[in-house]
Amino acid sequence: MYICGVGRTKFGKLELELPEIMTEAVTKALIDAKLRLKDIDAIFISNNLAGLNQGQLHLNSLLATILKIDIPIFRLESTCASGGATFYNSLFSLSKFKNILVLGVEKMTGLASDLLSTNIGTTSDLNLDQEQGFIFPVGAAMIIERYEKRFGNVMDDLALISLKNHENGNLNEYAHFYGKEVTLEKIKGSRTIVGKLRLYDCSPVSDGAVALVVSKQKRDRRSIKIQACEMATGPISLSLNPRTSMPAVKTACKRALSSAGMKILDMDLIEIHDGYTIIELITMEDLGLCKPGQAGKLIREGKTKLNGKIPINTDGGLKANGHPIGATGLAQIYEIVTQLRGEAGKRQVNAKTGLAHNIGGMVGSCVVSIFKRD
Ligand code: COA
């Protein structure tokens, strides 16, 4: 199975509504794949919030109306892991179909901040979390507290993660914060959101869409092989997870590496789901890049920068590329495909293999995918 075409919109505050955002990504992916809509056998849509934010469910039928098609279209939701979970499910359909399209979309801006936080928070446990006042920034602040109790001060390392991701995002013209100058001082001095969590430790609220054309056969030399795609689920509530580690991440990663017949250190680049900077840090440990408590050392040594041994989030990650929830998991794949094709311009790294880590909640679902240039 191969990714034969990719297309995306810019991420950020877009003056477009769901139909236009979806259409732009689909059109670009088809052009990139040199295919026409009539060549696509089925479409899989990833979306999390349209029901709550826009009052619009049944995006599959909405898309059929816009594109004037009648092929099977499905919509799947797994909170911030919607993209990865939709991609995972779509691959089974290639036993029947030749070319499919996977589309991720979200419109998040334009709502009052507290209403949006409540909407995003519905993806946590109703009784254990929501009714106790849990929202996601609170969860991230709790993980920072847990990590510091165990391993000591981490805030300077988190600032370095944020800086790296903003530097990378500044080389990605589609990124939410493309063109925004960000310094270490600005990050460290940014306003507190909750607990020790600063503004620059958070991913932003973004609109955007990404589409991928996935084919059963290799189409041309730009086609990128899907070496593995595995998923694991875990407890929905942070209070049920261990202190500074996410079992679903470890399991999904182990399954994907085993299915690919590879080791984590075989990866030339990694996209980590840095919804908050602390998540990038603990994920480096859960993926097995280093022992627990050691991720900060790799970050301080510059190992995860563009010119480092294991570049992480070359597109800017969720922090700077942006986080339109339903599109995010596919944006990670878009970046890996772009890098493996050698088409990443100023942020190009030397890569033959790449891994995408996409999570939902903290951490209720995790999808890990591995790609290879062959
Ligand atoms: N990082 C850096 N700057 C940010 C930012 C972020 N995460 N979020 C907003 N800003 C900037 C805006 O660009 C704007 O800058 P400007 O004044 O120069 O234009 C300014 O801060 C105010 O933006 P606003 O949208 O009013 O901020 P806010 O206080 O309403 O929202 C957060 C800030 C952190 C609460 C919001 O971005 C958020 O909720 N992020 C997390 C989203 C989430 O939970 N996603 C899923 C979890 S994985």
Side-chain angles (χ1 to χ4, degrees), residues 140-155:
M142 281 169 65
I143 298 176
I144 292 176
E145 288 296 325
R146 290 173 176 190
Y147 196 90
E148 290 203 329
K149 276 207 174 84
R150 204 166 158 207
F151 299 115
N153 190 309
V154 77
M155 297 311 290

Side-chain angles (χ1 to χ4, degrees), residues 133-341:
F134 176 94
I135 52 172
F136 278 93
V138 173
M142 281 169 65
I143 298 176
I144 292 176
E145 288 296 325
R146 290 173 176 190
Y147 196 90
E148 290 203 329
K149 276 207 174 84
R150 204 166 158 207
F151 299 115
N153 190 309
V154 77
M155 297 311 290
D156 287 351
D157 295 336
L158 298 187
L160 288 175
I161 290 177
S162 181
L163 182 68
K164 164 184 68 71
N165 290 349
H166 275 281
E167 283 172 354
N168 294 350
N170 258 332
L171 301 174
N172 175 7
E173 60 185 9
Y174 287 119
H176 185 129
F177 287 119
Y178 179 68
K180 182 158 183 152
E181 205 194 317
V182 175
T183 60
L184 209 51
E185 292 66 40
K186 190 169 192 166
I187 294 166
K188 289 185 176 177
S190 64
R191 67 187 149 97
T192 299
I193 299 299
V194 52
K196 288 192 174 166
L197 189 81
R198 301 160 295 208
L199 178 68
Y200 275 82
D201 291 308
C202 307
S203 58
V205 164
S206 321
D207 309 326
V210 177
L212 312 172
V213 174
V214 185
S215 303
K216 195 187 268 187
Q217 305 292 342
K218 183 171 182 169
R219 287 180 47 76
D220 58 28
R221 57 168 194 84
R222 290 173 74 243
S223 303
I224 296 296
K225 187 171 185 199
I226 303 164
Q227 190 73 19
C229 179
E230 297 291 344
M231 179 164 182
T233 41
I236 186 172
S237 173
L238 180 61
S239 56
L240 298 174
N241 262 306
R243 298 171 68 78
T244 53
S245 171
M246 303 291 174
V249 172
K250 287 184 171 174
T251 309
C253 180
K254 207 168 141 192
R255 285 180 185 155
L257 289 171
S258 153
S259 150
M262 299 172 105
K263 298 195 178 65
I264 191 70
L265 292 176
D266 293 332
M267 298 303 130
D268 296 320
L269 83 146
I270 298 182
E271 286 282 300
I272 288 182
H273 188 110
D274 59 323
Y276 297 93
T277 49
I278 186 69
I279 301 292
E280 179 163 326
L281 185 128
I282 65 169
T283 301
M284 288 170 62
E285 300 176 2
D286 278 344
L287 292 180
L289 291 170
C290 58
K291 295 206 169 99
Q294 297 295 307
K297 185 165 179 285
L298 293 184
I299 292 156
R300 288 190 295 279
E301 290 171 353
K303 295 268 172 37
T304 61
K305 292 174 82 159
L306 276 190
N307 59 358
K309 198 166 177 294
I310 328 146
I312 293 179
N313 290 338
T314 52
D315 57 354
L318 282 59
K319 175 70 206 77
N321 184 27
H323 185 20
I325 293 179
T328 294
L330 303 186
Q332 298 177 318
I333 299 173
Y334 178 103
E335 174 65 6
I336 292 177
V337 168
T338 305
Q339 288 281 358
L340 298 187
R341 283 172 167 180

